[in-house]
Amino acid sequence: MIGFLAQRLGQALFVLIAVSALAFLMSHFIGDPVVAILGANSTGLQRDELRRQMGLDGPLILQFIDFMGRMLVGEFGLSYRLGLPVSRVLLERMPATMELALVGMVIALAVGIPAGIYCALERRSAASRIVLGLSLLGISMPSFFMGMLLIFLFSVVLGWLPSFGRGETVFLGWWTTGLLTASGLKAILMPAITIAVFQFAMILRLVRAEMVEVLRADFIRFARARGLSRRSVHLRHALVNTLVPLITIVGLQLGSIIGFAVVTETVFQWPGLGLLFLQSVAAADIPVLAAFLVFIAIVFVTINLIVDLCYYAIDPRLRLSDRAAGPA
């Protein structure tokens, strides 16, 4: 276990250093931060003084070391557009995106796994074919169109749900949440469903394909020959063996939702990181973009590490290979 974890942590550290280097290059070579802060009408003396204060007059390697040191304490400078510390801006927007991603994924898993199991066990039924057809529609439909369709139906026609914003939020320490208020729950429903539709369709089709493959395996025939109940064969034996690919997809997709929910957040004007990213691109706010790049790398590395640990817990072959390699 220790060797397995050390190997994954080493890989994660390498990825974070590489991404940090890219963020450093972005901060220093895409435009001049001094001009962006002081403006084009500033004098040469003013620019040289600010460049000295920001440590931009030293050797490049020393600037990178300083950048890494500030990054470790969450310091990415000031946002050009907002004039606020970048870390503060990210922390203010992060709870909205994290809640949206988690609620969307929970909805997708809660619907997709049972539907996938049903479609695998009842492959020839009419209901199974209808569900598969709907899942194909969900994969094919663009998220912005799904969002506008939901807004038209539930906001314009029925008037049940708000068409934009996060609703009323409450503070839990530094974290803001809308899941504890009625308006917050109403506000998150449509964007979460918009995200969940594509994820649900993918999870359903993955679970179905893996279940069909596993149900043909010899150990399933042996389990049936032993007289185990249908429920035990399907849930304790077949479903467990579909978890490894499912965990992979869920982990990667959760990272993608957190990092790239730009379209959904823009359609619903959801005040999260995706909308912040789009606004920062439009304003060429390089410090925010660099910090966003590092944050997304941390999210993906953390999720991949959790996925690898889940592999280790679920798949006994990894534990056996780790033990076999240990004494050597």
Side-chain angles (χ1 to χ4, degrees):
M1 176 65 176
I2 295 178
F4 179 83
L5 183 60
Q7 181 183 8
R8 295 300 187 268
L9 287 175
Q11 295 172 354
L13 182 61
F14 174 78
V15 171
L16 289 178
I17 292 175
V19 173
S20 300
L22 291 176
F24 169 77
L25 294 175
M26 178 186 294
S27 300
H28 286 70
F29 296 103
I30 301 181
D32 188 348
V34 174
V35 175
I37 294 173
L38 294 179
N41 296 326
S42 58
T43 65
L45 291 177
Q46 291 174 326
R47 296 179 186 178
D48 291 340
E49 177 62 21
L50 182 59
R51 189 171 281 108
R52 185 189 62 80
Q53 293 176 3
M54 296 176 65
L56 300 179
D57 57 342
L60 191 63
I61 184 63
L62 294 181
Q63 293 185 42
F64 179 66
I65 294 173
D66 180 64
F67 175 83
M68 292 292 291
R70 289 186 288 108
M71 188 192 73
L72 290 176
V73 296
E75 177 56 51
F76 292 92
L78 295 176
S79 166
Y80 299 162
R81 182 174 63 92
L82 301 173
L84 298 172
V86 173
S87 56
R88 174 182 168 185
V89 175
L90 290 181
L91 288 176
E92 288 177 352
R93 297 294 191 100
M94 184 175 63
T97 295
M98 297 293 287
E99 283 190 357
L100 178 61
L102 290 174
V103 171
M105 187 57 73
V106 167
I107 294 174
L109 289 171
V111 180
I113 292 178
I117 295 173
Y118 174 80
C119 290
L121 299 179
E122 305 292 340
R123 295 192 294 276
R124 294 179 176 83
S125 68
S128 174
R129 294 174 182 175
I130 292 174
V131 171
L132 283 175
L134 292 175
S135 70
L136 182 61
L137 179 64
I139 288 180
S140 305
M141 184 177 298
S143 57
F144 73 89
F145 180 76
M146 172 61 70
M148 290 189 297
L149 190 63
L150 291 176
I151 289 174
F152 176 76
L153 178 60
F154 292 103
S155 296
V156 177
V157 177
L158 298 176
W160 291 351
L161 300 174
S163 61
F164 65 92
R166 198 181 173 197
E168 183 183 357
T169 60
V170 295
F171 282 91
L172 296 177
W174 63 271
W175 187 275
T176 58
T177 179
L179 301 180
L180 300 179
T181 65
S183 63
L185 289 173
K186 288 182 179 180
I188 202 173
L189 274 179
M190 287 197 295
I193 292 173
T194 301
I195 285 177
V197 167
F198 178 83
Q199 310 303 328
F200 149 76
M202 187 169 50
I203 290 170
L204 182 153
R205 300 180 78 86
L206 176 65
V207 170
R208 178 188 179 278
E210 291 295 327
M211 281 282 290
V212 168
E213 188 67 25
V214 170
L215 289 173
R216 296 170 180 166
D218 291 337
F219 73 91
I220 294 295
R221 296 191 185 97
F222 179 72
R224 287 170 175 163
R226 289 173 55 198
L228 296 180
S229 66
R230 180 183 173 91
R231 178 186 180 88
S232 178
V233 171
H234 292 161
L235 298 183
R236 293 186 55 191
H237 293 77
L239 181 60
V240 169
N241 284 274
T242 67
L243 290 180
V244 171
L246 180 62
I247 289 173
T248 303
I249 294 299
V250 169
L252 293 176
Q253 290 302 119
L254 182 59
S256 298
I257 294 172
I258 294 173
F260 309 110
V262 178
V263 175
T264 302
E265 292 191 3
T266 302
V267 170
F268 292 96
Q269 287 297 292
W270 188 262
L273 293 174
L275 185 60
L276 174 66
F277 173 79
L278 195 64
Q279 294 168 342
S280 300
V281 169
D285 197 346
I286 302 301
V288 174
L289 295 178
F292 182 82
L293 178 63
V294 174
F295 171 76
I296 296 306
I298 293 173
V299 168
F300 271 98
V301 164
T302 303
I303 290 177
N304 284 334
L305 183 61
I306 295 173
V307 167
D308 287 338
L309 293 177
C310 291
Y311 284 170
Y312 194 90
I314 292 173
D315 195 339
R317 292 172 296 182
L318 289 176
R319 297 193 294 272
L320 290 176
S321 63
D322 191 40
R323 291 170 187 169

